[in-house]
């Protein structure tokens, strides 16, 4: 009997998110694929690559091969799945998404979606993060192009091989409001951040804050050839960025040695 291709799916928008359900629908249309979903019980956007170490976690079955992890992060979902569900028989691929909103530039360091893929490659499993850039005034969004794209990417990985070395993953961003788009290989752009927070007061006069949504402002990185993820999205392309987990600033090592001397 032919072994099925095993895919572990997670996200950071929660187990009921439309993007996650669209991702699962797309992957289950592929032949001889077994999809297992382990997603946070609640939205964990911008949780980064965080593990839960101060309280126990619990899987809750939603349907066959579909679980929510009570108060868990995307990293928890992947980490615990390998131990408790797959029990050493690792999946062939981890796919994290489809995120509601972009994950470009330094936002990758905040992203729970990217973190799910990070955890996968830490365990030597090929991994992909996929996000749908969208206008948040239309929060439902359309994930049709993202579905088509992930099916192409997964099929290519399966039929050929994962194109990156260990501890690197694919970070994919889908442009908004287009039915078809070509893929472009990109680097992570230089995000320009603002510092916004909306202040409100409760009936007792106590202040609380909502962190604001930052506009997608970027600039080119000096001395880097190629196209950034933001430029690709701006021009209507699908951005495909190889991301490595090594954060060492190699170019600064010599400068630091001289500074210490």
């Amino acid at each position: 009997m032919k072994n099925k291709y095993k895919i572990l799916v997670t996200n950071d928008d929660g187990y009921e998110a439309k993007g996650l359900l669209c991702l699962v629908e797309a992957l289950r249309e592929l032949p001889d694929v077994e999809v297992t979903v382990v997603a946070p019980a609640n939205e964990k956007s911008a949780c980064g690559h965080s593990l839960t170490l101060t309280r126990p976690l619990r899987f809750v079955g939603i349907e066959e091969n579909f679980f929510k992890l009570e108060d868990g992060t995307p990293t928890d979902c992947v980490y615990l799945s390998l131990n408790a569900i797959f029990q050493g028989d690792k999946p062939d691929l981890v796919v994290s998404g489809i995120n509601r909103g972009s994950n470009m530039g330094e936002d990758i360091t905040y992203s729970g979606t990217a973190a799910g893929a990070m955890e996968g490659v830490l365990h030597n499993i090929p991994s992909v993060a996929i996000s749908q850039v969208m206008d948040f005034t239309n929060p439902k969004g359309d994930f049709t192009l993202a579905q088509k794209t992930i099916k192409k990417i997964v099929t290519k990985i399966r039929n050929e091989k994962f194109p990156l070395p260990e501890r690197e993953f694919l970070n994919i961003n889908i442009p908004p409001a287009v039915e078809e788009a070509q893929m472009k290989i990109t680097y992570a752009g230089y995000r320009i951040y603002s510092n916004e927070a909306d202040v409100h007061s409760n009936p007792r006069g106590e202040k609380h804050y909502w962190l604001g949504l930052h506009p997608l402002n970027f600039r080119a990185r000096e001395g880097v050839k190629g196209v950034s993820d933001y430029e690709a999205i701006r021009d209507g392309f699908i951005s495909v960025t190889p991301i490595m987990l090594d954060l060492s600033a190699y170019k600064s090592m010599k400068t630091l040695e001289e500074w210490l001397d």
Side-chain angles (χ1 to χ4, degrees):
M1 183 177 178
K2 184 178 179 180
N3 292 330
K4 289 190 175 182
Y5 189 76
K6 296 180 180 180
I7 303 176
L8 172 60
V9 169
T10 192
N11 77 339
D12 73 356
D13 289 326
Y15 76 103
E16 295 179 301
K18 180 181 177 182
L20 174 76
L21 301 179
C22 287
L23 172 61
V24 173
E25 178 185 39
L27 293 177
R28 285 179 173 167
E29 291 175 355
L30 297 174
D32 298 317
V33 165
E34 181 177 280
V35 178
T36 300
V37 183
V38 183
N42 309 105
E43 183 173 348
K44 293 290 181 178
S45 295
C47 68
H49 193 196
S50 58
L51 278 171
T52 301
L53 303 177
T54 57
R55 60 185 179 276
L57 298 166
R58 184 170 70 97
F59 291 98
V60 178
I62 305 302
E63 58 184 57
E64 185 178 3
N65 291 333
F66 195 124
F67 304 87
K68 66 177 180 178
L69 190 63
E70 289 288 359
D71 208 27
T73 67
T75 304
D76 292 326
C77 291
V78 175
Y79 183 95
L80 286 177
S81 296
L82 299 182
N83 180 274
I85 295 175
F86 291 91
Q87 298 180 345
D89 184 18
K90 294 191 296 187
D92 298 293
L93 182 68
V94 170
V95 182
S96 186
I98 302 167
N99 188 64
R100 185 172 65 96
S102 64
N103 277 306
M104 301 185 290
E106 290 87 354
D107 280 355
I108 295 167
T109 64
Y110 291 111
S111 168
T113 303
M118 289 180 189
E119 190 63 24
V121 295
L122 281 179
H123 296 277
N124 297 317
I125 303 168
S127 300
V128 179
I130 181 166
S131 303
Q132 174 64 61
V133 184
M134 65 172 56
D135 178 359
F136 278 89
T137 62
N138 179 22
K140 291 185 178 180
D142 180 14
F143 297 93
T144 304
L145 181 56
Q147 289 177 299
K148 293 178 183 178
T149 301
I150 196 62
K151 288 170 74 173
K152 290 178 183 178
I153 291 291
V154 170
T155 300
K156 192 167 182 64
I157 292 171
R158 184 180 184 182
N159 291 343
E160 299 177 23
K161 66 176 184 177
F162 192 63
L164 304 178
E166 64 179 14
R167 302 204 174 191
E168 294 186 15
F169 68 93
L170 290 176
N171 187 50
I172 300 173
N173 282 274
I174 307 296
V178 293
E179 295 182 359
E180 297 291 340
Q182 293 181 328
M183 298 185 197
K184 187 174 286 290
I185 305 304
T186 61
Y187 65 84
Y190 191 111
R191 180 77 187 270
I192 300 173
Y193 288 96
S194 58
N195 192 333
E196 298 179 1
D198 294 327
V199 61
H200 300 269
S201 296
N202 66 19
R204 300 177 64 179
E206 298 168 328
K207 291 182 179 180
H208 57 271
Y209 296 85
W210 283 101
L211 299 187
L213 282 174
H214 303 288
L216 287 178
N217 293 329
F218 286 80
R219 67 175 173 83
R221 292 188 185 273
E222 295 181 2
V224 178
K225 295 181 179 180
V227 176
S228 71
D229 44 16
Y230 172 75
E231 291 171 305
I233 292 297
R234 179 199 64 195
D235 296 338
F237 291 96
I238 297 166
S239 168
V240 181
T241 310
I243 301 295
M244 60 189 297
L245 271 60
D246 185 350
L247 301 180
S248 306
Y250 290 103
K251 292 182 179 180
S252 297
M253 290 174 67
K254 182 64 175 178
T255 301
L256 186 57
E257 286 178 358
E258 294 172 353
W259 179 77
L260 287 173
D261 288 340

